[in-house]
Amino acid sequence: MNNLYAIYGASGCGRSLMPVAREHLVRLGIQAEIYFIDDALTTIEEVNTHKAMNYTHFKALPHEQKYVLIAIANSRIREKITNQLLNDDINLWSVRSNTTIVMDDVQIASGAALSPFVTITSNIKIGKCFHANLYSYVEHDCVIGDYVTFAPGVKCNGNIHIEDHAYIGTGAVIKQGTPDKPLVIGKGAIVGMGAVVTKSVPAGVTVVGNPAKILEKK
Ligand SMILES: CC(C)(COP(=O)(O)OP(=O)(O)OC[C@H]1O[C@@H](n2cnc3c(N)ncnc32)[C@H](O)[C@@H]1OP(=O)(O)O)[C@@H](O)C(=O)NCCC(=O)NCCS
């Protein structure tokens, strides 16, 4: 019996990652259909020529091994779905584009989505379900936690630590740290699009601007 592959989420994120997933399988010489999973669906439909169904339908398909990439930007939802998949003995699937570059001594946990033109340089550790959108890069000696999300064009320079569930907006630039004093983006912090981050960011806050400052809640 063949393995079965799916992308969880048929919104913008999932539809943009489907071609990446297709080329990923071609690169590995695997011939298999890739499905969309979307819990808003009650019947089996078609999205961009791929079969799309809800999770209950997907779970019922009789395949030996199932691999699922979670293509949902909200990291808390990614975590919830991860727990559900693991509970159901379904594997987290990682995909990367043919134009993604990964250099030396890089550890990336399962469930990663590395979009076109992403570069991960050397001596980097990345946790579960990382999303690196178009043209983002991660420079040397960074440590990235679980469920971290990079929107397109994030410039993450060397010796930066990004904790679990942080979200980095489009085009943000983060200043490098040093080996003994990494710049830290705290757990669940949000960096706004276009921000220039020059200092560590506490957990849970949102920062915007150049230089980035905390956006106070109104
Ligand atoms: C920072 C961010 C999370 C704030 O979102 P929010 O809490 O909904 O904030 P609001 O849109 O209500 O804006 C609040 C204030 O911050 C300002 N602001 C919002 N985002 C900003 C940014 N990136 N840079 C500078 N100022 C920003 C707004 O102009 C507004 O200012 P005002 O109160 O003077 O009018 C959001 O604007 C952002 O940058 N998200 C990332 C988007 C992205 O990269 N998407 C990629 C999709 S693939």
Side-chain angles (χ1 to χ4, degrees):
M1 213 181 284
N2 287 335
N3 293 334
L4 189 62
Y5 297 86
I7 291 193
Y8 209 126
S11 64
C13 181
R15 282 180 280 112
S16 298
L17 281 168
M18 181 58 90
V20 176
R22 276 200 308 267
E23 70 181 16
H24 186 87
L25 286 189
V26 170
R27 191 171 61 248
L28 298 178
I30 297 170
Q31 275 193 321
E33 242 187 293
I34 311 175
Y35 296 131
F36 278 114
I37 303 170
D38 188 328
D39 288 321
L41 299 174
T42 50
T43 55
I44 297 180
E45 294 183 21
E46 203 175 82
V47 174
N48 291 352
T49 74
H50 292 263
K51 282 197 194 99
M53 63 195 71
N54 64 35
Y55 183 64
T56 309
H57 283 138
F58 177 76
K59 223 169 59 164
L61 295 173
H63 278 74
E64 208 156 280
Q65 290 285 334
K66 293 178 182 167
Y67 292 86
V68 173
L69 172 73
I70 308 169
I72 293 172
N74 183 316
S75 68
R76 299 283 167 190
I77 298 179
R78 284 214 295 285
E79 183 173 28
K80 195 167 157 239
I81 294 174
T82 296
N83 293 336
Q84 186 176 25
L85 293 172
L86 298 180
N87 204 29
D88 292 335
D89 280 330
I90 296 176
N91 304 287
L92 288 176
W93 188 28
S94 293
V95 306
R96 68 176 68 161
S97 159
N98 287 343
T99 56
T100 297
I101 296 171
V102 177
M103 297 184 179
D104 290 340
D105 188 21
V106 174
Q107 294 172 46
I108 308 178
S110 50
L114 305 180
S115 291
F117 306 104
V118 162
T119 300
I120 314 285
T121 71
S122 296
N123 306 97
I124 289 161
K125 192 166 179 255
I126 298 177
K128 262 187 283 190
C129 293
F130 177 52
H131 276 195
N133 214 324
L134 307 169
Y135 291 99
S136 289
Y137 71 73
V138 181
E139 255 288 11
H140 63 90
D141 299 300
C142 285
V143 179
I144 295 181
D146 292 332
Y147 307 106
V148 169
T149 310
F150 283 12
V154 169
K155 297 179 192 319
C156 175
N157 291 298
N159 287 298
I160 291 168
H161 290 191
I162 302 186
E163 295 178 351
D164 299 351
H165 291 285
Y167 178 93
I168 318 295
T170 304
V173 182
I174 311 174
K175 186 183 179 186
Q176 80 280 1
T178 58
D180 47 334
K181 197 168 185 269
L183 187 149
V184 179
I185 307 287
K187 185 171 180 179
I190 297 173
V191 174
M193 55 193 168
V196 177
V197 178
T198 56
K199 296 183 179 114
S200 289
V201 172
V205 305
T206 298
V207 295
V208 295
N210 177 6
K213 300 261 189 275
I214 294 178
L215 180 65
E216 302 295 346
K217 287 189 182 118
K218 285 185 180 160

